[in-house]
Amino acid sequence: MTDTTPAPAPAPEQDDNRLIAERRDKLKAIREVQAAGGQVAFPNDFKPDHRAAALIAAHGETEAEALEAQAVTVSVAGRLMLKRVMGKASFATVQDATGRIQLYVTRDAVGEDVYADFKKWDLGDILGAKGTLMKTKTGELSIKVTRIRLLTKSLRPLPDKFHGMQDQETKYRQRYVDLIMDGDARARFTARSRTLSALREFMTAHDFLEVETPMLHPIPGGANAKPFITHHNALEQDMYLRIAPELYLKRLIVGGFERVFEINRSFRNEGISVRHNPEFTMMEFYAAYWNYQDLMDYTEQLMRDLAQKTTGSQQLSYAGKPVDLAQPFKRMTIREAIAAHTEAGAGADDRDWLIAALRKLGLTEEKDRLSTRSLPSLQVMYFEEEVEAKLWEPTFIMEHPTEISPLARANDARPEVTERFELYMTGREMANGFSELNDAEDQAARFQAQVNAKDSGDDEAMFYDADFVRALEYGMPPTGGCGIGIDRFMMLLTDSASIRDVILFPALRHTGD
């Protein structure tokens, strides 16, 4: 009896391998033909004079008859995204960095040999085309092609044009394909570029000098974080990828630059989440004769300006909820935030109550050393567990404990807390700033306390930086400094759920591919 069971459909990987093999065969044939004619398979002498978006903006509303009378000659280049072959005439859509435009390709206009080649080209190939603008019967702006060339042969098939890339991790791993297929992804990273340009513009307009400081540090400093360690062979010493540029920027304040900023890549050897990437971008700025109140005023202005220039509005939406940057940002102490957003009541000022509450929330003595912490430190931990996620509208949280703020100036009236703030939006920290500690002797003592904490097992505690203390001994003017997380702020500006959505190439586990 004959088996009539249909053969199983090929797996996607098998199908891709077959298509790749077919494309390699096409490329081989192209190489042979081009070599015989003294040409190359990957030419680099085509120069497009026009972009899709500019052509559509300039001529998209022109009537067909008027457009024909103008006989506008153009040349474009881009990736072949759609193709519809109809005998002696075909339509194709190419995509450049600005958008898409349709080509009308006929055998009579380009020649029989070129047209035959065109019909063999695949989606994903990169083309160059010249011709005149026209309108189709449906009113779509198109180019009536007179010359067309294959510039780059694509060996791998693009994802299905209707569904694109469905797997989110594949989008992160193969961002180049994500950008080809997803206009929203291109728009998101274009917005990031606009934001950084606006950031530089705002800072320089306020007399800040952009500087560059080292990314390889002999001593990690500027934040409480676990660093990445590498080794410099010629110097025969371990080096650390910077966790923050702070201590170098403050050295510049000592040196006489009164306002400096750096848009920097920093690295922290910590966990990965929707809000954390081990390599991230932040902007730190320092201004002599400012304190933390001045910093809050300025940061508020800056973020409004960036939102306006990037999105066109200061009223944003994130995850379906409004975020209003136009209204004055709230300002609360940690204690006030606990009172406003929890039922802690008098327990917020009771060490025993806070320790018991934190244990109920899953914190432990072994990991978090609850019994050794001061009341302000326990309040911070309780705030982070119970309040942080509730701070949706922009809110400055002030007065962080001195024991966990080793670089910040202590409050003159309450030395157990500092003149420090963290800015929260959408339940996430966006910025951290404070009046800088410029007392060299106090800084030396704070560093020593950090060394003691490190010796007790805190691998995020700071090292003792003798050269920074030496710099302070020359005298640093009263200064305010702030760091803003660019990636998290871009999540807000682009309404992105994960930090990986706003980093072109986020950190991922290596698969060996």
Side-chain angles (χ1 to χ4, degrees):
M1 184 172 63
T2 303
D3 185 359
T4 58
T5 304
E13 296 83 0
Q14 294 175 334
D15 197 40
D16 279 354
N17 290 338
R18 177 181 59 81
L19 294 174
I20 291 170
E22 291 176 358
R23 292 186 180 211
R24 289 189 184 278
D25 288 342
K26 290 181 181 180
L27 177 58
K28 181 179 178 181
I30 291 169
R31 290 187 194 277
E32 292 171 353
V33 171
Q34 299 290 50
Q39 299 175 326
V40 295
F42 289 81
N44 69 344
D45 58 347
F46 185 89
K47 310 295 183 187
D49 296 321
H50 304 87
R51 295 287 187 91
L55 291 175
I56 293 170
H59 305 284
E61 301 301 320
T62 307
E63 296 293 334
E65 295 78 7
L67 196 60
E68 184 176 1
Q70 293 172 16
V72 180
T73 302
V74 300
S75 67
V76 298
R79 192 178 297 275
L80 181 61
M81 301 301 293
L82 298 169
K83 187 171 75 166
R84 185 157 50 100
V85 178
M86 303 177 298
K88 300 178 182 179
S90 300
F91 285 100
T93 299
V94 294
Q95 173 178 289
D96 63 19
T98 68
R100 296 183 177 189
I101 193 164
Q102 183 169 264
L103 308 180
Y104 177 59
V105 187
T106 65
R107 186 185 65 180
D108 292 343
V110 301
E112 188 168 345
D113 291 343
V114 172
Y115 189 68
D117 289 339
F118 165 78
K119 290 195 292 183
K120 299 175 186 176
W121 296 343
D122 298 298
L123 299 186
D125 290 349
I126 297 175
L127 319 178
K130 296 183 178 182
T132 56
L133 292 179
M134 58 168 280
K135 284 288 185 71
T136 64
K137 292 180 180 179
T138 60
E140 182 174 355
L141 184 68
S142 304
I143 300 173
K144 186 187 295 183
V145 175
T146 55
R147 292 182 60 194
I148 191 166
R149 295 174 64 190
L150 176 65
L151 304 179
T152 302
K153 181 65 190 169
S154 171
L155 296 179
R156 288 185 177 270
L158 295 176
D160 178 87
K161 63 184 179 182
F162 295 108
H163 300 99
M165 298 182 76
Q166 296 297 304
D167 182 71
Q168 193 64 50
E169 183 161 328
T170 303
K171 287 189 174 190
Y172 300 145
R173 291 188 182 279
Q174 300 177 20
R175 182 69 81 186
Y176 39 90
V177 183
D178 180 36
L179 294 173
I180 291 171
M181 301 302 298
D182 188 350
D184 290 340
R186 294 194 300 276
R188 192 162 59 246
F189 289 105
T190 300
R192 181 179 177 119
S193 180
R194 287 200 307 271
T195 300
L196 291 173
S197 295
L199 175 57
R200 286 188 165 94
E201 179 183 311
F202 188 90
M203 297 302 293
T204 56
H206 288 82
D207 300 324
F208 281 86
L209 179 72
E210 183 171 11
V211 297
E212 296 171 293
T213 63
M215 296 177 71
L216 280 177
H217 291 185
I219 299 174
N224 291 90
K226 187 175 181 179
F228 286 95
I229 304 174
T230 186
H231 186 80
H232 194 290
N233 292 331
L235 295 177
E236 297 183 343
Q237 68 180 41
D238 286 344
M239 303 287 283
Y240 303 86
L241 295 182
R242 73 173 165 206
I243 56 177
E246 177 170 344
L247 300 187
Y248 284 93
L249 292 172
K250 287 196 284 193
R251 284 173 168 93
L252 298 180
I253 298 292
V254 171
F257 289 132
E258 293 185 349
R259 295 189 181 187
V260 295
F261 79 100
E262 182 175 12
I263 300 173
N264 63 90
R265 303 289 281 185
S266 291
F267 307 82
R268 298 182 185 178
N269 197 356
E270 300 169 344
I272 294 176
S273 73
V274 294
R275 291 183 290 175
H276 299 89
N277 193 67
E279 177 182 3
F280 60 97
T281 302
M282 63 177 173
M283 191 269 285
E284 286 202 10
F285 64 96
Y286 293 81
Y289 311 109
W290 283 16
N291 60 30
Y292 78 122
Q293 297 285 352
D294 301 309
L295 291 172
M296 287 189 283
D297 293 341
Y298 186 80
T299 301
E300 191 168 335
Q301 296 172 32
L302 170 61
M303 290 194 157
R304 286 199 189 101
D305 185 80
L306 296 183
Q308 186 70 44
K309 289 179 178 175
T310 301
T311 71
S313 176
Q314 295 172 23
Q315 280 82 32
L316 308 177
S317 176
Y318 187 77
K321 296 173 61 177
V323 183
D324 189 358
L325 302 189
Q327 296 298 316
F329 293 8
K330 297 177 182 177
R331 300 187 183 190
M332 310 173 75
T333 66
I334 292 173
R335 179 65 183 80
E336 290 168 344
I338 291 174
H341 293 282
T342 75
E343 301 298 324
D349 295 313
D350 184 326
R351 287 188 75 258
D352 292 337
W353 186 93
L354 286 169
I355 289 172
L358 290 168
R359 285 174 175 162
K360 289 180 181 178
L361 293 170
L363 281 72
T364 65
E365 183 66 32
E366 179 181 8
K367 179 182 178 183
D368 303 294
R369 304 186 305 281
L370 299 176
S371 63
T372 67
R373 296 185 180 272
S374 68
L375 175 61
S377 179
L378 292 168
Q379 288 173 336
V380 168
M381 298 180 78
Y382 187 73
F383 164 84
E384 291 174 345
E385 294 293 325
E386 289 290 275
V387 180
E388 181 176 320
K390 300 174 183 177
L391 300 177
W392 190 263
E393 292 295 339
T395 305
F396 289 110
I397 299 296
M398 303 176 293
E399 297 188 0
H400 290 69
T402 302
E403 67 187 271
I404 62 170
S405 307
L407 301 170
R409 176 188 176 90
N411 186 293
D412 290 338
R414 298 179 58 215
E416 72 273 14
V417 297
T418 57
E419 294 185 354
R420 176 183 171 190
F421 67 84
E422 290 180 342
L423 173 60
Y424 289 87
M425 301 181 198
T426 65
R428 295 165 181 167
E429 180 192 343
M430 296 285 181
N432 176 34
F434 41 82
S435 303
E436 300 295 338
L437 177 58
N438 63 341
D439 181 335
E441 293 180 346
D442 191 357
Q443 184 64 82
R446 302 269 199 100
F447 276 151
Q448 187 57 54
Q450 288 288 299
V451 170
N452 295 340
K454 184 174 288 293
D455 290 343
S456 298
D458 185 353
D459 59 4
E460 292 187 355
M462 293 184 187
F463 288 70
Y464 192 103
D465 192 331
D467 182 71
F468 180 66
V469 173
R470 181 187 298 115
L472 291 183
E473 289 172 345
Y474 281 95
M476 184 175 78
T479 297
C482 180
I484 297 174
I486 300 300
D487 304 316
R488 289 186 186 177
F489 193 50
M490 287 312 307
M491 289 172 63
L492 170 59
L493 294 184
T494 60
D495 195 9
S496 298
S498 170
I499 197 170
R500 295 181 177 185
D501 295 328
V502 297
I503 296 175
L504 279 168
F505 301 102
L508 300 166
R509 187 182 300 278
H510 182 57
T511 62
D513 292 344

